[in-house]
Amino acid sequence: MDYMDSLFAVCNLTGKSINGWEVINQLPEPDRSKGETGGNFSICYIVKKNGIECFMKVLDYRNCMTRPLRPHETRISVIEKATREFKYEMALSEHCNKHRVKNIITYVDGGECELTDFMFPTVTYIIYEKADCNIRKIINFSTKLVFTEKLKTISFKLKSLHDIALGVKQLHKIEISHQDLKPSNILSIGNNSKLGDLGRSLCLSTEVECPYSLSMFNGDWTYAPPEVFFNYRLSDDKERLYQMDNYMIGSLIVYYINGVSFNTLLDSKLSGGIRALAKTGISFDEARTYLLDAYHQSLLDFEESIPLEDLKEGLTKVVEYLCHPEPEKRGHPKNISKTNRTPNYDLERTISELDLFQRKAELNLYKK
């Protein structure tokens, strides 16, 4: 063990008791080469109480205090930022529990203790229910599956996507925009999928103090909707942020079917990709023609990749309205209608459609 690690309690919790939780083992750091992600200032463990295993995230004070500083950083600013964001994630988790949000990874416990055997004894932690794995590790993109296996796979995927859309709607109902909807943040628990990692979420509710600016996209830019690359913003914060989430739901649908995000499809149709287009300095209005052309071509590619004929049209239409590059035109067509009072970003119709598609896949399975 590294000498510095030996000084910090947070690096040595295996076999310890943390406020009644037995620490079973430390989890390995995310393998970024395989697309796995995780916080830069957290260490993760499996813990157990009353025979139930859970997942514990611990604030990594060692990294806060020893990692090299970036330009314009101070050590105190690094520590302050990490502790503020960790506290915010705990507050968001408590907010979700209070409002009984079901499709978010369940917050179990959180707090702080001191292990006096160490020079740096403080352990600040959040405990969640334990997931089986993230969705990236279990969905199958193979084109070699026989038809019955394809039906089982597509049915599972549609059930998971339904769970995700429902979870996002639940977050929106309590004024939270997830901002970081990507495969590594979709967790599988039994037959259900739940949203994980609220750490980058933006909360508009007065019940929780958000440490981030609401004016910017706060998630992984690999999955960001096109408008954020051009700093194009709808005037209403709620609509702007929720439509970002909706775009990422559409992108997840694409990923579930063919293993790439909708941004990857767009990039393949744009010279140099979205980032390169934005770096030319043109405005979003000037880029619309290029984005719309790439969008329509990408939809054709996606439709061709859908393995079941009777789902091609319906699934493509869902991606079409969720991933529209112009955020003011994003949303179910009935929501966009001028005669309708439902907000464009409302997901109720999308949830119903995904449920219907999953039932169709199940019905086809029973016919075989």
Side-chain angles (χ1 to χ4, degrees):
M1 176 183 290
D2 181 273
Y3 172 70
M4 287 300 297
D5 285 356
S6 69
L7 303 179
F8 288 81
V10 293
C11 300
N12 301 276
L13 296 182
T14 300
K16 306 292 185 184
S17 178
I18 304 298
N19 287 348
W21 291 93
E22 177 190 356
V23 183
I24 306 301
N25 62 277
Q26 182 176 337
L27 296 175
E29 293 183 4
D31 186 342
R32 314 228 178 241
S33 68
K34 295 181 180 178
E36 296 177 1
T37 57
N40 293 320
F41 292 104
S42 61
I43 302 173
C44 299
Y45 292 88
I46 297 299
V47 296
K48 181 188 286 187
K49 180 188 277 190
N50 299 325
I52 299 174
E53 288 192 353
C54 290
F55 169 85
M56 181 172 72
K57 179 185 284 191
V58 176
L59 178 57
D60 186 359
Y61 289 110
R62 188 234 191 251
N63 196 17
C64 291
M65 297 176 69
T66 62
R67 77 148 170 82
L69 294 174
R70 296 167 183 160
H72 311 298
E73 277 187 337
T74 63
R75 186 61 61 193
I76 193 66
S77 71
V78 171
I79 296 170
E80 191 274 335
K81 181 175 184 291
T83 54
R84 182 180 71 243
E85 291 177 2
F86 201 86
K87 180 181 177 182
Y88 174 61
E89 182 176 346
M90 190 182 300
L92 280 180
S93 299
E94 291 172 340
H95 185 61
C96 288
N97 272 20
K98 174 183 175 182
H99 291 277
R100 300 180 181 179
V101 178
K102 301 298 183 184
N103 285 43
I104 311 300
I105 196 76
T106 303
Y107 168 72
V108 177
D109 194 7
E112 191 169 280
C113 67
E114 303 281 315
L115 299 184
T116 56
D117 294 344
F118 298 90
M119 181 177 292
F120 300 97
T122 304
V123 179
T124 306
Y125 64 91
I126 305 173
I127 295 175
Y128 296 104
E129 66 179 316
K130 181 184 172 186
D132 301 325
C133 59
N134 70 55
I135 206 71
R136 183 192 291 275
K137 295 183 178 180
I138 59 174
I139 58 179
N140 195 331
F141 304 112
S142 175
T143 58
K144 298 179 181 179
L145 297 176
V146 299
F147 188 71
T148 300
E149 290 174 332
K150 282 185 179 180
L151 280 172
K152 290 179 180 178
T153 300
I154 197 70
S155 177
F156 167 80
K157 290 177 179 179
L158 290 166
K159 166 66 167 60
S160 177
L161 289 165
H162 174 271
D163 291 346
I164 293 163
L166 187 57
V168 174
K169 181 175 174 63
Q170 291 168 355
L171 285 179
H172 290 178
K173 187 175 181 180
I174 61 170
E175 299 187 282
I176 295 174
S177 169
H178 191 285
Q179 293 282 296
D180 209 18
L181 298 168
K182 56 186 179 182
S184 58
N185 284 341
I186 309 303
L187 304 177
S188 178
I189 302 176
N191 294 321
N192 300 313
S193 293
K194 292 190 176 186
L195 303 177
D197 199 350
L198 294 177
R200 305 304 299 174
S201 298
L202 297 177
C203 186
L204 295 89
S205 171
T206 56
E207 294 183 31
V208 179
E209 183 179 353
C210 182
Y212 305 113
S213 168
L214 297 180
S215 65
M216 298 294 290
F217 175 72
N218 206 43
D220 185 336
W221 279 67
T222 306
Y223 302 90
E227 66 269 17
V228 306
F229 294 94
F230 299 87
N231 199 29
Y232 177 78
R233 303 174 186 172
L234 299 178
S235 58
D236 181 86
D237 281 342
K238 185 175 291 186
E239 181 176 4
R240 176 171 49 80
L241 298 178
Y242 293 178
Q243 289 290 32
M244 291 178 182
D245 285 348
N246 291 355
Y247 179 90
M248 287 183 281
I249 294 173
S251 185
L252 279 170
I253 294 173
V254 174
Y255 175 84
Y256 270 56
I257 298 300
N258 62 19
V260 299
S261 69
F262 196 70
N263 277 9
T264 300
L265 295 182
L266 287 177
D267 283 345
S268 70
K269 310 300 180 185
L270 294 164
S271 178
I274 300 174
R275 289 178 187 269
L277 181 62
K279 286 180 179 179
T280 64
I282 67 173
S283 69
F284 185 72
D285 285 339
E286 293 168 328
R288 285 177 197 263
T289 301
Y290 302 106
L291 292 171
L292 286 169
D293 183 58
Y295 158 75
H296 289 299
Q297 292 183 58
S298 298
L299 287 172
L300 291 175
D301 286 354
F302 171 65
E303 185 170 20
E304 289 180 5
S305 71
I306 300 172
L308 299 178
E309 282 297 324
D310 58 351
L311 291 179
K312 280 182 179 288
E313 182 179 359
L315 267 182
T316 302
K317 284 188 179 298
V318 174
V319 173
E320 181 179 5
Y321 69 70
L322 287 177
C323 289
H324 199 292
E326 299 173 280
E328 57 267 57
K329 297 181 181 178
R330 196 173 295 154
H332 194 283
K334 289 186 177 178
N335 294 352
I336 300 292
S337 169
K338 292 180 181 179
T339 61
N340 190 71
R341 294 186 178 181
T342 304
N344 290 359
Y345 56 76
D346 186 82
L347 286 166
E348 191 59 42
R349 290 186 169 99
T350 304
I351 292 165
S352 297
E353 288 179 338
L354 290 171
D355 182 56
L356 176 62
F357 298 154
Q358 195 266 334
R359 292 174 188 274
K360 279 186 178 181
E362 285 286 329
L363 186 59
N364 276 314
L365 186 58
Y366 290 134
K367 287 179 179 178
K368 299 301 166 186

